[in-house]
Amino acid sequence: MTGSTRGVTSDERGVLARYASFLPVTPATPRLSLQEGDTPLIAVPRLAAWVGVSELFVKFEGMNPTGSFKDRGMVVAVAKAVERGARTIMCASTGNTAASAAAYAARAGITAVVLLPRGKVAGAKVSQALAYGARAIALDTGFDAALDVARGLTARYMVELVNSVNPHRIAGQATAAYEICDILGDAPDVLALPVGNGGNISAYWAGFRRYREAGYTTSLPVILGGQAAGAAPLVLGHPVESPDTIASAIRIGRPASWETAVAAATESHGEFRAVTDAQILEAYREVARREGIFCEPSSAAGVAALRDSVAAGRTSADATCVCVCTGHGLKDAQFAPGLDDQAAPLPATVEAVAAALGLAERS
Ligand code: F0G
């Protein structure tokens, strides 16, 4: 039909359609999509002033279909699994990977099994995974041991592993780097992001290098990885037995992508920085209050690390910086202010509310 006004359908948008030439897509790969990717790159001048740099952007990955960056890689991993005839996928997760795996499995008509460390996953993420129809299994352990179980199971049984050790995940997540370069016209000077299992930092570095090799950019960014101080194996240089932080998404002591994460930081002349829970929560609040961007606490670790790096004189105030805010605030709102934190309730009258607000009367 010509002259259709139906607009762009989901088959024409999304990571697989947009960046097919950079992805392991073959004619046999199903064109799976929930219209993931193409997330906002938002200029954030008030946050820049707080961080201490002249030019700052937030790449808001919370705007993906399931509310985190995981969707970029999951769509590729699930499409490739379906292409190979898989009927069941599996991951261990601190929550976001589980929600994403569950959504794309539903979309593809296959089954997702998610292994979750009991009592350590934000409730909304568990709700998401279950709502999408995943089989969720709680394990009495942390993320690291849960991932060991997922790897053991998928090596032995007919189940596809979709954790970020799956190279299709990394290839898909690299598309976020392409989008940043497409908007800025070149790579930024500095890219800061939270680091847990080490997959995303590896993906960004691979993406920036690939785009430069393809001739789309002329430079590479310095990559700054923020880790929670109580879960900072990459800062310490050794695994952490019992990682501890309020940033539950990155509560990881033994990153699976250790070598590639370290390569991203060192080859880019960047580093890993540990930030305390207090610094993470402060950054989390400033991102929301200064710019209207609500990300989850873990997501703010990159912002906190960048501010810390500027204060320490490691990052120049003149640098063009991008902070990746990896997940949406509604996923993990337990540290957000609540109504009970406000002043005591008022009588339900116009006069009482006007007096409390000190409003000027209309003349
Ligand atoms: N930010 C958020 C919101 C995350 O959920 C994760 C990881 C990261 C950052 C760190 O990314 O692991 O590639 O270094 N979440 C995983 C999960 C572990 O199971 O959802 P990474």
PDB file of all heavy atoms in Angstrom, residues 273-298:
ATOM      1  N   ARG A 273      37.396   3.657  39.377  1.00  0.00           N
ATOM      2  CA  ARG A 273      37.373   4.459  40.598  1.00  0.00           C
ATOM      3  C   ARG A 273      36.331   3.902  41.539  1.00  0.00           C
ATOM      4  O   ARG A 273      35.211   3.594  41.117  1.00  0.00           O
ATOM      5  CB  ARG A 273      36.987   5.911  40.291  1.00  0.00           C
ATOM      6  CG  ARG A 273      38.159   6.801  40.004  1.00  0.00           C
ATOM      7  CD  ARG A 273      37.764   8.261  40.069  1.00  0.00           C
ATOM      8  NE  ARG A 273      38.393   8.913  41.218  1.00  0.00           N
ATOM      9  CZ  ARG A 273      39.667   9.233  41.275  1.00  0.00           C
ATOM     10  NH1 ARG A 273      40.469   8.966  40.275  1.00  0.00           N
ATOM     11  NH2 ARG A 273      40.161   9.841  42.345  1.00  0.00           N
ATOM     12  N   ALA A 274      36.696   3.775  42.799  1.00  0.00           N
ATOM     13  CA  ALA A 274      35.733   3.332  43.807  1.00  0.00           C
ATOM     14  C   ALA A 274      35.001   4.544  44.359  1.00  0.00           C
ATOM     15  O   ALA A 274      35.629   5.558  44.678  1.00  0.00           O
ATOM     16  CB  ALA A 274      36.460   2.602  44.934  1.00  0.00           C
ATOM     17  N   VAL A 275      33.695   4.457  44.450  1.00  0.00           N
ATOM     18  CA  VAL A 275      32.895   5.526  45.050  1.00  0.00           C
ATOM     19  C   VAL A 275      32.040   4.921  46.162  1.00  0.00           C
ATOM     20  O   VAL A 275      31.519   3.806  46.025  1.00  0.00           O
ATOM     21  CB  VAL A 275      32.008   6.247  44.001  1.00  0.00           C
ATOM     22  CG1 VAL A 275      32.833   7.241  43.205  1.00  0.00           C
ATOM     23  CG2 VAL A 275      31.337   5.268  43.046  1.00  0.00           C
ATOM     24  N   THR A 276      31.931   5.655  47.254  1.00  0.00           N
ATOM     25  CA  THR A 276      31.184   5.148  48.408  1.00  0.00           C
ATOM     26  C   THR A 276      29.686   5.159  48.117  1.00  0.00           C
ATOM     27  O   THR A 276      29.212   5.860  47.210  1.00  0.00           O
ATOM     28  CB  THR A 276      31.436   6.025  49.645  1.00  0.00           C
ATOM     29  OG1 THR A 276      30.917   7.334  49.366  1.00  0.00           O
ATOM     30  CG2 THR A 276      32.926   6.124  49.973  1.00  0.00           C
ATOM     31  N   ASP A 277      28.942   4.421  48.925  1.00  0.00           N
ATOM     32  CA  ASP A 277      27.482   4.442  48.766  1.00  0.00           C
ATOM     33  C   ASP A 277      26.939   5.852  48.935  1.00  0.00           C
ATOM     34  O   ASP A 277      26.000   6.257  48.249  1.00  0.00           O
ATOM     35  CB  ASP A 277      26.828   3.494  49.790  1.00  0.00           C
ATOM     36  CG  ASP A 277      26.947   2.035  49.368  1.00  0.00           C
ATOM     37  OD1 ASP A 277      27.524   1.761  48.281  1.00  0.00           O
ATOM     38  OD2 ASP A 277      26.475   1.158  50.114  1.00  0.00           O
ATOM     39  N   ALA A 278      27.542   6.627  49.849  1.00  0.00           N
ATOM     40  CA  ALA A 278      27.088   8.012  50.049  1.00  0.00           C
ATOM     41  C   ALA A 278      27.312   8.835  48.778  1.00  0.00           C
ATOM     42  O   ALA A 278      26.442   9.626  48.377  1.00  0.00           O
ATOM     43  CB  ALA A 278      27.823   8.644  51.233  1.00  0.00           C
ATOM     44  N   GLN A 279      28.444   8.633  48.124  1.00  0.00           N
ATOM     45  CA  GLN A 279      28.703   9.361  46.868  1.00  0.00           C
ATOM     46  C   GLN A 279      27.732   8.929  45.771  1.00  0.00           C
ATOM     47  O   GLN A 279      27.259   9.751  44.982  1.00  0.00           O
ATOM     48  CB  GLN A 279      30.138   9.095  46.387  1.00  0.00           C
ATOM     49  CG  GLN A 279      31.211   9.833  47.165  1.00  0.00           C
ATOM     50  CD  GLN A 279      32.602   9.435  46.666  1.00  0.00           C
ATOM     51  OE1 GLN A 279      33.012   8.285  46.801  1.00  0.00           O
ATOM     52  NE2 GLN A 279      33.311  10.375  46.081  1.00  0.00           N
ATOM     53  N   ILE A 280      27.444   7.635  45.718  1.00  0.00           N
ATOM     54  CA  ILE A 280      26.507   7.118  44.710  1.00  0.00           C
ATOM     55  C   ILE A 280      25.116   7.719  44.927  1.00  0.00           C
ATOM     56  O   ILE A 280      24.476   8.214  43.994  1.00  0.00           O
ATOM     57  CB  ILE A 280      26.452   5.571  44.755  1.00  0.00           C
ATOM     58  CG1 ILE A 280      27.774   4.983  44.263  1.00  0.00           C
ATOM     59  CG2 ILE A 280      25.282   5.041  43.928  1.00  0.00           C
ATOM     60  CD1 ILE A 280      27.896   3.472  44.429  1.00  0.00           C
ATOM     61  N   LEU A 281      24.657   7.722  46.179  1.00  0.00           N
ATOM     62  CA  LEU A 281      23.310   8.238  46.463  1.00  0.00           C
ATOM     63  C   LEU A 281      23.226   9.745  46.230  1.00  0.00           C
ATOM     64  O   LEU A 281      22.207  10.261  45.767  1.00  0.00           O
ATOM     65  CB  LEU A 281      22.901   7.895  47.899  1.00  0.00           C
ATOM     66  CG  LEU A 281      22.521   6.420  48.101  1.00  0.00           C
ATOM     67  CD1 LEU A 281      22.257   6.124  49.573  1.00  0.00           C
ATOM     68  CD2 LEU A 281      21.308   6.036  47.252  1.00  0.00           C
ATOM     69  N   GLU A 282      24.308  10.442  46.521  1.00  0.00           N
ATOM     70  CA  GLU A 282      24.312  11.891  46.274  1.00  0.00           C
ATOM     71  C   GLU A 282      24.199  12.151  44.762  1.00  0.00           C
ATOM     72  O   GLU A 282      23.391  12.974  44.315  1.00  0.00           O
ATOM     73  CB  GLU A 282      25.604  12.497  46.831  1.00  0.00           C
ATOM     74  CG  GLU A 282      25.595  14.008  46.844  1.00  0.00           C
ATOM     75  CD  GLU A 282      26.935  14.595  47.286  1.00  0.00           C
ATOM     76  OE1 GLU A 282      27.943  13.856  47.374  1.00  0.00           O
ATOM     77  OE2 GLU A 282      26.960  15.818  47.532  1.00  0.00           O
ATOM     78  N   ALA A 283      24.992  11.432  43.982  1.00  0.00           N
ATOM     79  CA  ALA A 283      24.941  11.602  42.526  1.00  0.00           C
ATOM     80  C   ALA A 283      23.549  11.236  41.993  1.00  0.00           C
ATOM     81  O   ALA A 283      22.990  11.933  41.142  1.00  0.00           O
ATOM     82  CB  ALA A 283      26.006  10.734  41.859  1.00  0.00           C
ATOM     83  N   TYR A 284      22.997  10.157  42.506  1.00  0.00           N
ATOM     84  CA  TYR A 284      21.655   9.685  42.125  1.00  0.00           C
ATOM     85  C   TYR A 284      20.621  10.795  42.322  1.00  0.00           C
ATOM     86  O   TYR A 284      19.789  11.064  41.449  1.00  0.00           O
ATOM     87  CB  TYR A 284      21.387   8.460  42.995  1.00  0.00           C
ATOM     88  CG  TYR A 284      19.980   7.968  43.179  1.00  0.00           C
ATOM     89  CD1 TYR A 284      19.304   7.339  42.147  1.00  0.00           C
ATOM     90  CD2 TYR A 284      19.359   8.061  44.423  1.00  0.00           C
ATOM     91  CE1 TYR A 284      18.025   6.826  42.359  1.00  0.00           C
ATOM     92  CE2 TYR A 284      18.097   7.553  44.632  1.00  0.00           C
ATOM     93  CZ  TYR A 284      17.426   6.937  43.599  1.00  0.00           C
ATOM     94  OH  TYR A 284      16.179   6.427  43.808  1.00  0.00           O
ATOM     95  N   ARG A 285      20.699  11.476  43.450  1.00  0.00           N
ATOM     96  CA  ARG A 285      19.741  12.552  43.729  1.00  0.00           C
ATOM     97  C   ARG A 285      20.000  13.776  42.857  1.00  0.00           C
ATOM     98  O   ARG A 285      19.073  14.424  42.373  1.00  0.00           O
ATOM     99  CB  ARG A 285      19.803  12.938  45.208  1.00  0.00           C
ATOM    100  CG  ARG A 285      19.323  11.795  46.073  1.00  0.00           C
ATOM    101  CD  ARG A 285      19.113  12.188  47.533  1.00  0.00           C
ATOM    102  NE  ARG A 285      18.743  10.994  48.278  1.00  0.00           N
ATOM    103  CZ  ARG A 285      19.494  10.415  49.210  1.00  0.00           C
ATOM    104  NH1 ARG A 285      20.648  10.945  49.575  1.00  0.00           N
ATOM    105  NH2 ARG A 285      19.092   9.314  49.811  1.00  0.00           N
ATOM    106  N   GLU A 286      21.263  14.104  42.640  1.00  0.00           N
ATOM    107  CA  GLU A 286      21.579  15.293  41.838  1.00  0.00           C
ATOM    108  C   GLU A 286      21.143  15.112  40.379  1.00  0.00           C
ATOM    109  O   GLU A 286      20.666  16.057  39.759  1.00  0.00           O
ATOM    110  CB  GLU A 286      23.079  15.612  41.909  1.00  0.00           C
ATOM    111  CG  GLU A 286      23.568  16.029  43.290  1.00  0.00           C
ATOM    112  CD  GLU A 286      22.940  17.328  43.802  1.00  0.00           C
ATOM    113  OE1 GLU A 286      22.584  18.190  42.980  1.00  0.00           O
ATOM    114  OE2 GLU A 286      22.792  17.462  45.039  1.00  0.00           O
ATOM    115  N   VAL A 287      21.328  13.930  39.829  1.00  0.00           N
ATOM    116  CA  VAL A 287      20.917  13.672  38.438  1.00  0.00           C
ATOM    117  C   VAL A 287      19.419  13.941  38.297  1.00  0.00           C
ATOM    118  O   VAL A 287      18.968  14.592  37.349  1.00  0.00           O
ATOM    119  CB  VAL A 287      21.244  12.219  38.011  1.00  0.00           C
ATOM    120  CG1 VAL A 287      20.688  11.922  36.623  1.00  0.00           C
ATOM    121  CG2 VAL A 287      22.742  11.963  38.034  1.00  0.00           C
ATOM    122  N   ALA A 288      18.645  13.473  39.265  1.00  0.00           N
ATOM    123  CA  ALA A 288      17.190  13.649  39.201  1.00  0.00           C
ATOM    124  C   ALA A 288      16.791  15.099  39.448  1.00  0.00           C
ATOM    125  O   ALA A 288      16.012  15.685  38.700  1.00  0.00           O
ATOM    126  CB  ALA A 288      16.517  12.728  40.213  1.00  0.00           C
ATOM    127  N   ARG A 289      17.347  15.699  40.495  1.00  0.00           N
ATOM    128  CA  ARG A 289      16.900  17.040  40.898  1.00  0.00           C
ATOM    129  C   ARG A 289      17.391  18.127  39.954  1.00  0.00           C
ATOM    130  O   ARG A 289      16.689  19.111  39.721  1.00  0.00           O
ATOM    131  CB  ARG A 289      17.373  17.350  42.314  1.00  0.00           C
ATOM    132  CG  ARG A 289      16.764  16.425  43.357  1.00  0.00           C
ATOM    133  CD  ARG A 289      17.273  16.781  44.723  1.00  0.00           C
ATOM    134  NE  ARG A 289      16.647  17.999  45.169  1.00  0.00           N
ATOM    135  CZ  ARG A 289      15.714  18.056  46.123  1.00  0.00           C
ATOM    136  NH1 ARG A 289      15.336  16.957  46.729  1.00  0.00           N
ATOM    137  NH2 ARG A 289      15.186  19.198  46.468  1.00  0.00           N
ATOM    138  N   ARG A 290      18.597  17.952  39.427  1.00  0.00           N
ATOM    139  CA  ARG A 290      19.140  18.998  38.553  1.00  0.00           C
ATOM    140  C   ARG A 290      18.652  18.886  37.117  1.00  0.00           C
ATOM    141  O   ARG A 290      18.605  19.884  36.399  1.00  0.00           O
ATOM    142  CB  ARG A 290      20.673  18.944  38.552  1.00  0.00           C
ATOM    143  CG  ARG A 290      21.261  19.480  39.831  1.00  0.00           C
ATOM    144  CD  ARG A 290      22.767  19.329  39.860  1.00  0.00           C
ATOM    145  NE  ARG A 290      23.275  19.822  41.125  1.00  0.00           N
ATOM    146  CZ  ARG A 290      23.871  21.004  41.279  1.00  0.00           C
ATOM    147  NH1 ARG A 290      24.069  21.779  40.245  1.00  0.00           N
ATOM    148  NH2 ARG A 290      24.275  21.399  42.468  1.00  0.00           N
ATOM    149  N   GLU A 291      18.340  17.649  36.686  1.00  0.00           N
ATOM    150  CA  GLU A 291      18.074  17.480  35.251  1.00  0.00           C
ATOM    151  C   GLU A 291      16.772  16.762  34.921  1.00  0.00           C
ATOM    152  O   GLU A 291      16.434  16.612  33.750  1.00  0.00           O
ATOM    153  CB  GLU A 291      19.242  16.726  34.581  1.00  0.00           C
ATOM    154  CG  GLU A 291      20.597  17.423  34.746  1.00  0.00           C
ATOM    155  CD  GLU A 291      20.711  18.731  33.945  1.00  0.00           C
ATOM    156  OE1 GLU A 291      19.783  19.066  33.185  1.00  0.00           O
ATOM    157  OE2 GLU A 291      21.749  19.410  34.103  1.00  0.00           O
ATOM    158  N   GLY A 292      16.071  16.267  35.928  1.00  0.00           N
ATOM    159  CA  GLY A 292      14.822  15.556  35.630  1.00  0.00           C
ATOM    160  C   GLY A 292      15.046  14.180  35.045  1.00  0.00           C
ATOM    161  O   GLY A 292      14.197  13.662  34.325  1.00  0.00           O
ATOM    162  N   ILE A 293      16.206  13.596  35.358  1.00  0.00           N
ATOM    163  CA  ILE A 293      16.506  12.247  34.862  1.00  0.00           C
ATOM    164  C   ILE A 293      16.560  11.311  36.067  1.00  0.00           C
ATOM    165  O   ILE A 293      17.407  11.462  36.949  1.00  0.00           O
ATOM    166  CB  ILE A 293      17.860  12.230  34.114  1.00  0.00           C
ATOM    167  CG1 ILE A 293      17.799  13.153  32.889  1.00  0.00           C
ATOM    168  CG2 ILE A 293      18.223  10.805  33.701  1.00  0.00           C
ATOM    169  CD1 ILE A 293      19.147  13.429  32.253  1.00  0.00           C
ATOM    170  N   PHE A 294      15.632  10.368  36.104  1.00  0.00           N
ATOM    171  CA  PHE A 294      15.536   9.458  37.260  1.00  0.00           C
ATOM    172  C   PHE A 294      16.169   8.126  36.867  1.00  0.00           C
ATOM    173  O   PHE A 294      15.607   7.368  36.075  1.00  0.00           O
ATOM    174  CB  PHE A 294      14.063   9.290  37.633  1.00  0.00           C
ATOM    175  CG  PHE A 294      13.822   8.569  38.939  1.00  0.00           C
ATOM    176  CD1 PHE A 294      14.699   8.654  40.005  1.00  0.00           C
ATOM    177  CD2 PHE A 294      12.660   7.818  39.101  1.00  0.00           C
ATOM    178  CE1 PHE A 294      14.457   8.000  41.199  1.00  0.00           C
ATOM    179  CE2 PHE A 294      12.394   7.162  40.292  1.00  0.00           C
ATOM    180  CZ  PHE A 294      13.294   7.254  41.343  1.00  0.00           C
ATOM    181  N   CYS A 295      17.344   7.883  37.418  1.00  0.00           N
ATOM    182  CA  CYS A 295      18.022   6.612  37.133  1.00  0.00           C
ATOM    183  C   CYS A 295      18.097   5.816  38.429  1.00  0.00           C
ATOM    184  O   CYS A 295      17.839   6.336  39.510  1.00  0.00           O
ATOM    185  CB  CYS A 295      19.408   6.853  36.549  1.00  0.00           C
ATOM    186  SG  CYS A 295      20.571   7.663  37.666  1.00  0.00           S
ATOM    187  N   GLU A 296      18.444   4.552  38.326  1.00  0.00           N
ATOM    188  CA  GLU A 296      18.558   3.765  39.566  1.00  0.00           C
ATOM    189  C   GLU A 296      19.897   4.078  40.239  1.00  0.00           C
ATOM    190  O   GLU A 296      20.824   4.570  39.581  1.00  0.00           O
ATOM    191  CB  GLU A 296      18.371   2.281  39.293  1.00  0.00           C
ATOM    192  CG  GLU A 296      19.385   1.632  38.378  1.00  0.00           C
ATOM    193  CD  GLU A 296      19.148   0.115  38.286  1.00  0.00           C
ATOM    194  OE1 GLU A 296      19.444  -0.565  39.275  1.00  0.00           O
ATOM    195  OE2 GLU A 296      18.672  -0.364  37.246  1.00  0.00           O
ATOM    196  N   PRO A 297      20.018   3.839  41.548  1.00  0.00           N
ATOM    197  CA  PRO A 297      21.246   4.215  42.251  1.00  0.00           C
ATOM    198  C   PRO A 297      22.521   3.684  41.579  1.00  0.00           C
ATOM    199  O   PRO A 297      23.481   4.444  41.384  1.00  0.00           O
ATOM    200  CB  PRO A 297      21.058   3.613  43.650  1.00  0.00           C
ATOM    201  CG  PRO A 297      19.576   3.620  43.850  1.00  0.00           C
ATOM    202  CD  PRO A 297      18.992   3.328  42.489  1.00  0.00           C
ATOM    203  N   SER A 298      22.522   2.416  41.196  1.00  0.00           N
ATOM    204  CA  SER A 298      23.717   1.839  40.553  1.00  0.00           C
ATOM    205  C   SER A 298      24.130   2.646  39.335  1.00  0.00           C
ATOM    206  O   SER A 298      25.314   2.803  39.044  1.00  0.00           O
ATOM    207  CB  SER A 298      23.436   0.405  40.107  1.00  0.00           C
ATOM    208  OG  SER A 298      23.000  -0.375  41.181  1.00  0.00           O
TER     209      SER A 298
END
